[in-house]
Amino acid sequence: MSTLAGRLATAAAGLLTATAFALPASAAGEVNIYSYRQPELIQPLLDGFTEKTGIKTNVIFADKGLAQRMQAEGENSPADVLMTVDVGRLDGAKALGVTQPVNSEIINGNIPAEFRDPEGHWFGLTTRARVVYASRERVEQNAITYEELADPKWKGRICTRSGQHPYNIGLFASVVAHKGEKAAEEWLAGLRDNLARKPAGNDRGQVQGIYSGECDIGLGNNYYMGKMLTNEKEPEQKEWANSAKILFPTSAEGGTHVNISGVVMAKYAPNREEALKLMEYLSSAEAQQIYAEANFEYPVKPGVEASELVRSWGSFTPDDLPLTEIFAHRKTASELVDRVGYDDGPAS
Ligand SMILES: [Fe+2]
């Protein structure tokens, strides 16, 4: 063996050893998650991920400002992914420039195109329906349309949270998208006239309003009913929830308004490879099942069932207008809320 060949062989062996030695460290890497979603909600998912891959997860939770924080941290941001709710926030993170595109065959195979950013900057992980909560005692009908909410027969009987809350803005934007600004404004003024009180509280508060008799119907996301019905910490919420049923509204143009919760890859993700594995895992049937059981939302992956309780509420047809198209009307929706004085409550 020539000296040179010998040296090369030794060098190659050294490289191999170094690579082999380095592998366990990178295989047991970490992912840093910035989350607007409650830690206890996503922990079962993260546990499943760590069990499967050996990759540790670190979560920083806040209910606002995380995308701005990523922007301020810039290249030094430790964030690998951001988990959040509402397509507005997901697209907002993209607009802030704190995301990067992801192109994964696994993810694209699991998540239907309507729940993904066409440029790959955000991915829906669950869907949630904006439903009508209706008094079991005082509302006989078991079907309803969004249009009907503006019918004077509901005068003084409807409760909602602020019209400017993203959940309502999403719904109102879908009305603008379907019917145009003018018709949407008339509809919103009609809905305002039917309010029982000035918009206040959160979605659960509207169910409480039904329980207390202040209103007969309310607007809210489907999963709050699940959370209330299983709330051991505040068992009075079970009673509130038991006083109401869920109606999945339809409209002349389509089905029930849905929004998504989802995930983005941070622009400067220091652990991109591990983060991608996490995103792929979150789209898998296993994770979709865990998520659906934990939070009473709907899986985005076709073929994965919602939880038993959620299924007991019946099925519905989601509005098939693309979320990005609805999202484009959010600003108009917000202006309409101000223009009709929605948050001032019913005109006397
Ligand atoms: Fe929520």
Side-chain angles (χ1 to χ4, degrees), residues 106-321:
I106 295 177
I107 297 176
N108 294 348
N110 284 334
I111 304 177
E114 65 261 37
F115 302 129
R116 289 188 260 128
D117 174 37
E119 291 168 355
H121 282 262
W122 50 258
F123 299 87
L125 296 173
T126 61
T127 66
R128 53 266 297 285
R130 193 108 185 111
V131 300
V132 163
Y133 308 137
S135 164
R136 288 186 184 279
E137 250 174 43
R138 300 180 299 277
V139 177
E140 274 179 25
Q141 62 193 76
N142 287 312
I144 199 163
T145 63
Y146 287 118
E147 288 89 342
E148 217 182 315
L149 297 175
D151 188 310
K153 75 175 177 179
W154 296 112
K155 196 163 175 57
R157 299 174 69 190
I158 301 180
C159 287
T160 76
R161 73 194 309 165
S162 164
Q164 292 294 2
H165 188 276
Y167 295 164
N168 280 335
I169 291 294
L171 169 61
F172 300 161
S174 78
V175 178
V176 177
H178 279 299
K179 299 182 189 297
E181 184 173 340
K182 194 170 177 296
E185 181 172 351
E186 278 166 27
W187 173 80
L188 196 59
L191 174 56
R192 177 211 58 209
D193 282 341
N194 287 341
L195 291 173
R197 61 185 184 196
K198 252 174 103 130
N202 54 21
D203 282 355
R204 297 184 206 219
Q206 317 315 315
V207 182
Q208 186 185 16
I210 292 170
Y211 174 74
S212 71
E214 203 174 351
C215 29
D216 292 343
I217 61 176
L219 277 176
N221 287 350
N222 70 289
Y223 56 85
Y224 287 115
M225 284 293 262
K227 289 186 178 184
M228 295 173 80
L229 287 166
T230 57
N231 195 333
E232 301 303 334
K233 276 192 204 149
E234 294 163 80
E236 65 274 18
Q237 291 197 1
K238 293 186 190 180
E239 279 180 65
W240 305 353
N242 277 321
S243 74
K245 58 188 175 184
I246 285 185
L247 306 182
F248 294 100
T250 55
S251 79
E253 297 85 11
T256 305
H257 173 64
V258 298
N259 207 320
I260 53 173
S261 78
V263 64
V264 306
M265 175 80 81
K267 183 172 184 183
Y268 299 110
N271 308 294
R272 192 182 190 281
E273 203 178 308
E274 290 82 0
L276 182 61
K277 281 192 186 138
L278 174 65
M279 289 171 72
E280 288 173 344
Y281 174 76
L282 293 174
S283 73
S284 71
E286 177 185 308
Q288 289 279 300
Q289 190 73 59
I290 297 173
Y291 220 174
E293 293 291 338
N295 65 3
F296 308 106
E297 293 177 61
Y298 296 91
V300 287
K301 182 173 163 53
V304 181
E305 283 196 325
S307 77
E308 200 180 330
L309 176 59
V310 172
R311 274 182 282 141
S312 76
W313 299 329
S315 58
F316 67 98
T317 307
D319 183 2
D320 59 6
L321 211 57

